Amino acid sequence: MTQARTVNADQMKAAIAEAGLRPTRPRAALIDQMAAWATAGTDFTCEELWHSAQASAPWIGRSTTFRTVELLADLGFLDRVTFADGSERYHVVQPGSHHHHLTCEMCHRVVEIDICLPAEVLETVQRSSGFALTGHRLELFGRCSDCQRHTVPVIDSVDAE
Amino acid sequence: MTQARTVNADQMKAAIAEAGLRPTRPRAALIDQMAAWATAGTDFTCEELWHSAQASAPWIGRSTTFRTVELLADLGFLDRVTFADGSERYHVVQPGSHHHHLTCEMCHRVVEIDICLPAEVLETVQRSSGFALTGHRLELFGRCSDCQRHTVPVIDSVDAE
DNA sequence: ACAAAGATGATACTCAGTATCAATAGCCGA
DNA sequence: TCGGCTATTGATACTGAGTATCATCTTTGT
């Protein structure tokens, strides 16, 4: 797997400035929290971000949290990651990098992986279906090494959920 | 692409009987509607199913619709399909078949495809990440041949959304 | 026909996210 | 520095999808 270098708060703030948007206090506070989580490899929901940010900035509104997350997602800093149980959470990533996610179904750890569908497979699909492919989404589920150690080993199957 | 033969109402009803569950009128009505959609290749949400079923069976409750969809999903007859815009809908499939979905981002057409990640790719991920893989989810997005005809051609890119 | 268990439908509720809008805070030019 | 323009904010109310509850009604096995 590839450990992408962690996105920091300044990168996100700079991107906001470059987009001609304003560097406001709420945005800064939320970005700082997200960047901290990014370093720790922690994913989050908007609700969690809001609650967490309120510890240091109780004046931040819920709407602003949703708006800021949407903004950062549009700027490419946040990916929506799907977990094995179907839940979806946000994860900070390097914008523009093409990768997919491998998530631990026990501890929710997220690992970015840079493997992808081979181009010839995509071309085969394109030819046989008549579709013009514009994108795809791949999520891998499993148990991380720590969680394997603490529980019964899973059957060595690689089928879809 | 592989056009899986369409699941019919009787198969679903038989599966319910085999599971030791009861063949009730609401279940039959909902299954008939889903089977009709399956033949037409139409996907749906619970809400849509409910409204549609009410045309012929106005006594069916909303809760029952959700319960029946969940039941059929558990029995493997329904897949949750993700579309390019992030929305999720149900789609009737042959239970037990391992496949993925290619969806048209314009008309929401769903095509089942039987291509998958090559085993060696999965093994590489497994080795390098230390994860024990247990499943995956792959969604392909594009424009179907009909929608390509009616609009400007898309850039021939195959990157993720 | 009868009782036990399964299934139903009405209702109320939760939860995540959205819409609205008056008030506020950055920005820019004078 | 001032003033005004506009982006942004936070409070509030709302929506839509899905869940919990529970009295009532069906199936089913006897």
Side-chain angles (χ1 to χ4, degrees):
Chain A
M1 89 226 144
T2 295
Q3 180 66 44
R5 71 191 172 289
T6 306
V7 173
N8 63 38
D10 290 343
Q11 285 179 267
M12 296 194 252
K13 290 171 186 172
I16 284 183
E18 274 166 42
L21 303 168
R22 292 177 182 169
T24 64
R25 274 177 67 64
R27 281 177 180 161
L30 291 168
I31 285 172
D32 288 342
Q33 177 63 75
M34 286 188 270
W37 278 336
T39 311
T42 310
D43 53 274
F44 59 92
T45 64
C46 289
E47 216 73 25
E48 285 166 6
L49 174 59
W50 182 45
H51 283 125
S52 210
Q54 283 200 314
S56 55
W59 31 270
I60 291 183
R62 215 171 73 98
S63 323
T64 302
T65 309
F66 279 93
R67 280 189 289 241
T68 304
V69 165
E70 191 188 15
L71 172 60
L72 272 295
D74 287 349
L75 291 175
F77 285 98
L78 294 179
D79 260 15
R80 250 187 124 76
V81 182
T82 305
F83 289 83
D85 63 5
S87 64
E88 306 238 349
R89 330 188 87 230
Y90 287 96
H91 192 244
V92 180
V93 297
Q94 280 292 336
S97 70
H98 179 62
H99 63 258
H100 298 292
H101 296 110
L102 168 56
T103 56
C104 177
E105 62 189 14
M106 307 207 69
C107 70
H108 269 201
R109 214 171 98 191
V110 178
V111 174
E112 289 166 35
I113 50 180
D114 50 22
I115 65 108
C116 194
L117 285 170
E120 64 264 26
V121 170
L122 292 171
E123 272 155 35
T124 303
V125 172
Q126 202 146 213
R127 253 198 315 280
S128 61
S129 66
F131 274 57
L133 296 182
T134 55
H136 62 264
R137 176 184 254 265
L138 171 64
E139 301 282 350
L140 297 176
F141 309 124
R143 287 193 200 171
C144 72
S145 44
D146 288 351
C147 290
Q148 287 173 64
R149 223 169 279 135
H150 303 320
T151 55
V152 265
V154 290
I155 295 88
D156 187 19
S157 138
V158 146
D159 294 338
E161 24 142 13
Chain B
M1 87 224 146
T2 295
Q3 180 65 45
R5 71 190 171 293
T6 308
V7 173
N8 63 38
D10 290 342
Q11 284 179 267
M12 296 195 251
K13 290 171 186 172
I16 285 182
E18 274 166 43
L21 303 167
R22 293 178 181 169
T24 63
R25 273 178 68 63
R27 281 178 180 161
L30 291 167
I31 285 173
D32 287 343
Q33 177 63 72
M34 285 189 269
W37 277 337
T39 312
T42 311
D43 54 274
F44 58 91
T45 64
C46 289
E47 217 73 25
E48 285 166 4
L49 174 59
W50 182 46
H51 283 124
S52 211
Q54 283 200 313
S56 55
W59 32 270
I60 290 182
R62 216 172 73 97
S63 322
T64 301
T65 308
F66 278 94
R67 280 189 289 240
T68 303
V69 165
E70 192 188 14
L71 172 59
L72 271 295
D74 286 348
L75 291 174
F77 285 98
L78 295 179
D79 260 16
R80 250 187 124 76
V81 182
T82 305
F83 290 83
D85 63 5
S87 64
E88 307 237 348
R89 330 186 89 232
Y90 287 97
H91 192 245
V92 181
V93 297
Q94 279 292 338
S97 69
H98 179 62
H99 62 259
H100 298 292
H101 296 111
L102 167 56
T103 55
C104 177
E105 63 190 12
M106 307 208 69
C107 70
H108 269 203
R109 214 171 98 190
V110 178
V111 174
E112 290 166 34
I113 51 180
D114 50 23
I115 65 107
C116 194
L117 286 170
E120 65 263 25
V121 170
L122 292 170
E123 271 155 36
T124 304
V125 171
Q126 202 147 212
R127 252 199 315 281
S128 61
S129 66
F131 274 57
L133 296 182
T134 55
H136 62 264
R137 177 184 253 265
L138 171 65
E139 302 281 351
L140 298 176
F141 309 123
R143 286 193 200 171
C144 72
S145 43
D146 287 351
C147 290
Q148 285 174 67
R149 223 167 280 136
H150 302 319
T151 55
V152 264
V154 291
I155 295 89
D156 188 20
S157 139
V158 146
D159 293 338
E161 27 137 14

